[in-house]
Amino acid sequence: MAHLMAVLFADHLRFDVKDPAYRGNDRFVLSKGHAAPGLYATLKAAGAFDDEMLLSLRREGSPLQGHPAPIEEFPWVDVATGSLGQGLAAGLGMALAMRIDDIPARVWVLLGDSEMAEGSVWEAMEAVAFHGASNVTAILDLNRLGQRGPTMHGWHADVFRDRALAFGWQAIEIDGHDVDAIDAAYRSAIADDRPSMIVARTEKGHGVSFLADKEGWHGKPVPADRLDEAIAELGGDRQIRCTPPAPIEVPTAHVDAPGGVARPVYDAPVATRKAFGEALAWLAATDPDVVALDGEVGNSTYTEDAEAVAPGRFIELYIAEQTMVGVQTGLQALGKKAFAATFGAFLTRAADQIRMGAISRADLRLSGSHAGVSIGEDGPSQMAVEDLAMFRALAGSTVLYPADGPSAVALLERMASLEGISYLRTTREATPILYDAEEAFPVGGSKMLASSDHDDVTLVGAGIPLHESLAARDLLAADGITARVLDCYSVKPIDAATLRSALEDTGLIVVVEDHRVEGGLGDAVLDALAATGPLSGRVRKLGVTQMAGSATPTELRAWAGIDAAAIAAAAREALGR
Amino acid sequence: MAHLMAVLFADHLRFDVKDPAYRGNDRFVLSKGHAAPGLYATLKAAGAFDDEMLLSLRREGSPLQGHPAPIEEFPWVDVATGSLGQGLAAGLGMALAMRIDDIPARVWVLLGDSEMAEGSVWEAMEAVAFHGASNVTAILDLNRLGQRGPTMHGWHADVFRDRALAFGWQAIEIDGHDVDAIDAAYRSAIADDRPSMIVARTEKGHGVSFLADKEGWHGKPVPADRLDEAIAELGGDRQIRCTPPAPIEVPTAHVDAPGGVARPVYDAPVATRKAFGEALAWLAATDPDVVALDGEVGNSTYTEDAEAVAPGRFIELYIAEQTMVGVQTGLQALGKKAFAATFGAFLTRAADQIRMGAISRADLRLSGSHAGVSIGEDGPSQMAVEDLAMFRALAGSTVLYPADGPSAVALLERMASLEGISYLRTTREATPILYDAEEAFPVGGSKMLASSDHDDVTLVGAGIPLHESLAARDLLAADGITARVLDCYSVKPIDAATLRSALEDTGLIVVVEDHRVEGGLGDAVLDALAATGPLSGRVRKLGVTQMAGSATPTELRAWAGIDAAAIAAAAREALGR
């Protein structure tokens, strides 16, 4: 990849190494993140840092990690890579951010041939072409050797050329060690009105005879006793410097939001997914940095409400969740507040992209609709029942789960200023209004909806199960059992202090969730209790434990044992009454 | 899709409706699972069941779910669909099972045009062609309308034809309502020595003028007051019956395993990933139904050991984790014991396929290597720190986490007879031997490695943190604190009784895991304690709470606070000593 990188950084990438965040910069994405040393060496040659830092590679505390990550001390990369096949979607996100800001910069993505087996690459190829992002150039380093041996297509560049053409791209085959050919290909990519893929036949280990095109060297350093030999073959010890072309000058951003949309207010039952969509439309009308992303379910998640308000900041990715999250990661790298939504179940399709988003320190604002068995007849493939587990386990994540329209609006508003991965779980059915429009919902807080000094049990829920808990309270009251009800709308961070008090006061917590019993709200409650001191009392967890089928929402909640009757029964049983 | 289905089931799908499990049957996969009513109606016409059952669609207890699922009462489908873009990979798995068994049957996969946006489709297209599965036919129902409006390519069948050709398939464009053209296309697919894609231009709602090719009808039933009109336009009330062609006759399977590989025995430190590979090789040599799947990391997960023993039952999927799991789902549907492995981190790429595998009631035997920050310098993109959360949250899953070679071998052996999703978490570094080769490791069990009647604390771990716990025990002993150490190799189901006794005996559990602190072993321990009675005592959870970087394994465990010193410190602090 050295020749491809050298020609790019010396003559084509318009990039200020001293100001890598400059918004007029071209952007480079190393999709084949395991080739990080090649990127680091190029950046060092471009003056980003010195030899000492370069040689800290992979050491504790070094910003030069085994795979590139955009940590604070390393501002020269925008997104983390290392899980293959993710760079192109991120590059598309950057290109679309440039389009929104009217910045005529370019995005260059270096891909490895092994990662071309990842469907996510072709998913992104489709999206790049569909969105006409002609300022995206993919450079395919066709070195024919994967981790454990030859790739599927070896040096058959025509295979990738034909596919790129069929996906609506320009495609150019070159010898990846011919610097003139590389230069000409980059010029052609810039000139073409389609996105361009440059398929460069290369040798892994080119220029070092005992390495070149040989198997068994993937991820291995040159042995110390052969380093001198390798360096001599490459032309001896040199200190090559290059200065990338200056970036284009762009004015400071100044975009007005259209306005004209009021913060949603509800006084009748509404689905939290609908409240999400209407609140997103309000945010899009209010904040010019807000971008809404859809996976072709915008009429179910109601991101279409945002589309109606700000069509230029609505991006339809069709049924391509991996690309949706990759684009989101690219957008936020260039300063956009990107909100993406699909069914919560289908966010699992992008689990790896979301995981990499956390490593990118990306602000990914995600909403998953159709949570739980409460969706009813569509059945388990459409039900998010593992989403809380997925999002809770991510570093630095925030997990929010509103039970009514006003709380959904307030929490989405709060998400706009959160860092890291934030997740808003919404539900399909309309739910009654619990809160005033002015009520505040701090992250990490909770709402005690009913309590007395002498409660026998604390019922903890969120979303639809919170409403079931309120109904269970009435059932229990009829038996002379007094229950307090806590809305844990903030699943992570969770209101540990209130939970601890509740356990100390009532001695029994029944926590109920329309989610698998593992990894979600119930586990979060237990974690909070364990973290805040000695345990004393009983905690009953209710959640989905079997595989659902199709039925009505009411039938399914009864089947799962998470409806009011089941909650009341669990409390009665625990109390022996 | 009705015409495409009718011609297929009437004249080409060699399928015994009365014996859908018959191994000589052709297989049909409805990748566009939301079109389930079309499949159900076809099966009813083919005599699978009666009108009463057909009309139970989406009702509680009906096997005719909103999306097809292979539940016991509904043996006519082999894999669940409903999350788009997954049918083709499953179909490839079936085709490869037929190849292993020398059965010349065919696999027919009906795809929707919206799902062609999913990269997983192209990933599978690549794999089908690479593996030369010419008995796979993809039928693309190009109706140009997605859930919320027109698809990207409308009726431009040439787009998909060109892509299919570029991916090494035969491609045929037809009018999807011309039954002669459909018949000819199926014949051509059967005759061609490549896999074939039939791109069929169709109208959504064809034959009913108020529906045909109109937006706004996705997922909606015909209104009751227009049913008569629709039925009249379609030719009136009829009871069409068809009998699919008889399946080919195939002999009962009788394949000998090659044998010649002994059950691995270890008396020196070995990485659990290596023990996994060697044990898998032993299983492959012993059981002719065992198939090993690789995501081009077989030299890291050591599935290559199985390849060496049984190359005909080793399937290389390259860097294509979604296809790997899809193929696995198809293989097991046809009776294979399919084991798939990659880095645990990269199994997140197939999270949705694994989720659908649970809905398929599939026996997916998965191993994720390179668990935790203990992989060291490669950094966070390669570290599985959310995998336990993902696998624990799946319905009916089994999660196993061995700490040494003998336990890895015993647990893998056990996995061969487990139903549902089973997961073996392995680690990169060699770990000391703790157990004899003969030691039994029942699912749901644990091993108390050290205990006395007067222990001050119970240290709970698995994998590498178990070894850190043993070292912590020595550190604590030097301070006069006695610790027992429990190996929770079975994370799900977990040994709740032993954990409860441990808490009752010692009053303090310190649970440590090389995984995020959410959703993994620590949460499983708390869940078990809460489920088995009142809580009394203290539980301290140690796990990864921040985003790792690159460093040595030892440095990273210290950084994460999961090494012996951190475990001992947590115990001392909790004990106030």
Side-chain angles (χ1 to χ4, degrees), chain B residues 283-498:
Chain B
L283 289 178
T286 309
D287 183 342
D289 284 334
V290 166
V291 181
L293 283 73
D294 178 32
E296 223 254 295
V297 289
N299 52 341
S300 289
T301 61
Y302 293 105
T303 49
E304 65 179 18
D305 292 353
E307 179 182 24
V309 170
R313 288 181 279 118
F314 173 85
I315 303 174
E316 180 58 76
L317 278 317
Y318 296 88
I319 310 281
E321 297 82 6
Q322 300 186 74
T323 299
M324 181 176 75
V325 173
V327 166
Q328 184 180 29
T329 303
L331 284 164
Q332 65 82 42
L334 268 61
K336 299 302 172 193
K337 291 181 186 169
F339 291 78
T342 183
F343 285 32
F346 303 142
L347 285 173
T348 59
R349 192 62 152 268
D352 194 24
Q353 279 77 8
I354 297 168
R355 180 180 77 87
M356 290 300 297
I359 301 173
S360 286
R361 280 70 174 170
D363 300 333
L364 299 186
R365 300 173 169 96
L366 292 153
S367 177
S369 67
H370 296 70
V373 301
S374 291
I375 69 163
E377 290 84 349
D378 278 345
S381 65
Q382 318 293 301
M383 294 170 179
V385 291
E386 301 99 352
D387 55 324
L388 294 176
M390 176 170 85
F391 281 103
R392 249 188 94 226
L394 294 165
S397 63
T398 304
V399 180
L400 305 170
Y401 185 8
D404 77 345
S407 56
V409 172
L411 292 170
L412 187 71
E413 181 180 11
R414 187 74 191 86
M415 270 171 71
S417 54
L418 287 179
E419 295 189 340
I421 314 286
S422 52
Y423 178 61
L424 186 79
R425 185 181 216 228
T426 69
T427 42
R428 182 174 182 274
E429 294 176 276
T431 42
I433 304 301
L434 296 170
Y435 302 106
D436 291 337
E438 298 74 29
E439 183 93 21
F441 289 84
V443 169
S446 65
K447 298 288 176 188
M448 190 65 79
L449 294 183
S451 70
S452 73
D453 290 342
H454 310 290
D455 292 322
D456 301 308
V457 55
T458 305
L459 308 181
V460 175
I464 290 173
L466 179 69
H467 296 277
E468 296 286 349
S469 298
L470 289 166
R473 179 173 185 269
D474 295 339
L475 295 177
L476 290 168
D479 295 339
I481 298 171
T482 58
R484 63 179 63 173
V485 179
L486 187 69
D487 179 0
C488 265
Y489 64 82
S490 181
V491 176
K492 180 186 175 187
I494 200 164
D495 186 351
T498 299

Side-chain angles (χ1 to χ4, degrees), chain B residues 174-187:
Chain B
I174 59 167
D175 171 352
H177 301 300
D178 177 340
V179 294
D180 292 328
I182 298 168
D183 185 73
Y186 292 165
R187 288 179 195 281

Side-chain angles (χ1 to χ4, degrees), chain A residues 352-388:
Chain A
D352 195 22
Q353 279 78 6
I354 297 168
R355 180 181 77 87
M356 290 300 296
I359 301 174
S360 286
R361 279 71 174 168
D363 300 332
L364 300 186
R365 300 172 169 95
L366 292 152
S367 178
S369 67
H370 295 70
V373 302
S374 291
I375 69 163
E377 290 84 350
D378 278 344
S381 65
Q382 320 293 300
M383 293 169 179
V385 291
E386 302 99 351
D387 55 323
L388 294 177

Side-chain angles (χ1 to χ4, degrees), chain A residues 543-560:
Chain A
V544 181
T545 61
Q546 304 294 317
M547 182 58 69
S550 291
T552 67
T554 301
E555 288 167 343
L556 282 166
R557 284 193 293 271
W559 162 86

Side-chain angles (χ1 to χ4, degrees), chain A residues 84 148 307 349 527 537 541, chain B residues 84 148 307 527 535 541:
Chain A
L84 289 171
R148 69 177 296 250
E307 179 182 24
R349 193 62 151 269
D527 177 77
K541 286 169 63 185
Chain B
L84 290 170
R148 69 178 296 252
E307 179 182 24
D527 177 77
L535 295 165
K541 287 170 62 185

